[in-house]
Amino acid sequence: MLRFIAMRLVKAAIILIAIVTLNFFLIHAAPGDPAAVMAGEAGAADDIFLEQLREQFGLDKPLLTQLGLYLGGIIQLDLGFSYRQQMPVADLIFDRLPATLLLTMTAFVISLVLGTLAGVLASARVGKWSDTLISTVALLFYATPLYWAALMAVLIFSVQLNWLPGFGYETVGGNYEGLDRVIDIAKHLILPATTLGLFFMAVYMRMTRASMLEVSTLDFVKTARAKGLKPSIIQRRHVFRNALLPVVTLAGLQAGQLVGGAVLTETVFAWPGIGRLMFEALAQRDYNVLLGVFFVSAAMVLLFNLITDILYRVVDPRIRAS
């Protein structure tokens, strides 16, 4: 197992370097000059000032030289300097990463638990009205645009009913401490986490239902029925555990993607995470921040993929590391 993990880490490092290189060239191929944007906002867009800005932030160097310097910094965990925020990119990202992890992991748990439960219930009542109802509701959540669902959630539960706060990470000026602060953050978390979680719940529901139905037709399940085991025991001990493998695969992929994929949710709910930071950096042509967010997101995807491979052996002991 240790050799397997070491090999996967080496492969992940190579993939990460390739992703960083590709993102670097794509970002610099995009139209727009960060120096021109900063000079325009400063009200001094003459050529001399532009050259000074490019020299100050290393934008006057050849592209390959900039890439080499950036990769050298990545190896030392130096993600560069934000010329818009005037602080290291790593500090910017790691200040906002806890908020993103809190949001995305809560949404992940909501979607995985509700989706798996709905899939099990639907497969146990296949062809009945309850199966149709569950499938229809799940499809409705999946087909609804995420930004529209987020806006409607704010309008209904925050503006109209005034049940929950609609924006932010915590109450501005509340100065809560201890348990009161935890409760305040939890209230702000409910709407964005539920909105994001319900969108992905439908995917887990469909996957669990299809996998459960497929496993229920296998020979060992027929044997269990022939022995007279109760349907509930067959579903729980034989069908469900063997149907989990594709669900675990999908969950591992989406857990990593959620970290960098909550841009719309964080923007609508003004959640101070790296998704919103990426949106702001894109509007400001802050290349180093964009590259830093892409790097952290890619690293998270690779990390969760590795965790998924390790969990395979827990779910199905027949799978070996080789």
Side-chain angles (χ1 to χ4, degrees):
M1 176 60 75
L2 291 178
R3 183 173 179 272
F4 167 75
I5 294 176
M7 290 295 294
R8 288 303 302 268
L9 288 175
V10 171
K11 292 179 181 178
I14 295 173
I15 293 172
L16 197 56
I17 291 174
I19 291 173
V20 168
T21 303
L22 179 62
N23 285 335
F24 184 88
F25 285 118
L26 288 176
I27 289 294
H28 283 78
D33 184 357
V37 175
M38 287 186 292
E41 291 182 351
D46 58 276
D47 293 338
I48 297 177
F49 187 59
L50 284 173
E51 290 302 322
Q52 290 175 346
L53 287 175
R54 292 191 182 101
E55 183 179 355
Q56 179 182 353
F57 297 110
L59 299 175
D60 59 331
K61 295 181 175 62
L63 194 58
L64 291 179
T65 303
Q66 293 184 47
L67 174 61
L69 293 173
Y70 186 74
L71 290 176
I74 288 289
I75 294 174
Q76 302 173 29
L77 297 181
D78 179 9
L79 301 181
F81 191 81
S82 170
Y83 41 77
R84 298 306 303 269
Q85 305 291 338
Q86 293 297 306
M87 63 184 299
V89 172
D91 292 346
L92 267 175
I93 292 177
F94 291 120
D95 281 347
R96 298 204 183 196
L97 187 59
T100 291
L101 289 176
L102 176 63
L103 171 61
T104 54
M105 291 301 102
T106 304
F108 174 73
V109 171
I110 291 173
S111 61
L112 183 60
V113 172
L114 293 183
T116 304
L117 180 61
V120 171
L121 294 176
S123 65
R125 295 165 175 79
V126 62
K128 298 181 180 178
W129 67 268
S130 52
D131 175 31
T132 304
L133 178 62
I134 292 173
S135 300
T136 302
V137 172
L139 183 61
L140 180 64
F141 283 131
Y142 184 73
T144 303
L146 187 59
Y147 68 89
W148 187 86
L151 290 173
M152 289 302 102
V154 172
L155 181 63
I156 295 173
F157 296 104
S158 181
V159 177
Q160 296 291 336
L161 299 177
N162 198 26
W163 287 355
L164 296 166
F167 305 101
Y169 181 75
E170 54 186 323
T171 303
V172 178
N175 297 323
Y176 296 115
E177 296 180 357
L179 182 60
D180 291 335
R181 184 167 185 259
V182 172
I183 294 175
D184 183 51
I185 294 175
K187 289 179 179 179
H188 285 79
L189 179 64
I190 291 175
L191 283 183
T194 304
T195 302
L196 187 60
L198 290 179
F199 176 79
F200 289 100
M201 179 202 72
V203 181
Y204 296 118
M205 177 267 160
R206 298 295 297 177
M207 178 64 73
T208 304
R209 180 182 181 276
S211 186
M212 292 278 290
L213 292 177
E214 180 182 359
V215 172
S216 64
T217 61
L218 299 180
D219 291 339
F220 71 90
V221 178
K222 295 178 181 178
T223 303
R225 292 195 185 102
K227 289 182 178 180
L229 293 178
K230 294 181 179 179
S232 58
I233 295 178
I234 295 174
Q235 287 288 102
R236 186 175 66 254
R237 294 183 181 177
H238 299 280
V239 178
F240 180 66
R241 184 167 183 176
N242 287 278
L244 271 183
L245 200 56
V247 179
V248 170
T249 303
L250 182 64
L253 291 172
Q254 289 194 334
Q257 293 171 352
L258 273 173
V259 175
V263 180
L264 286 175
T265 306
E266 291 184 0
T267 302
V268 171
F269 290 101
W271 190 264
I274 62 172
R276 189 178 174 201
L277 176 65
M278 181 174 64
F279 179 79
E280 294 170 352
L282 180 63
Q284 297 169 351
R285 300 292 192 274
D286 200 339
Y287 289 164
N288 284 340
V289 173
L290 278 175
L291 289 170
V293 173
F294 291 158
F295 171 78
V296 172
S297 300
M300 287 292 179
V301 171
L302 294 172
L303 175 63
F304 280 108
N305 283 346
L306 176 61
I307 294 174
T308 302
D309 288 340
I310 296 173
L311 286 178
Y312 278 166
R313 295 190 67 183
V314 178
V315 176
D316 191 346
R318 295 172 299 177
I319 296 177
R320 294 293 177 261
S322 59

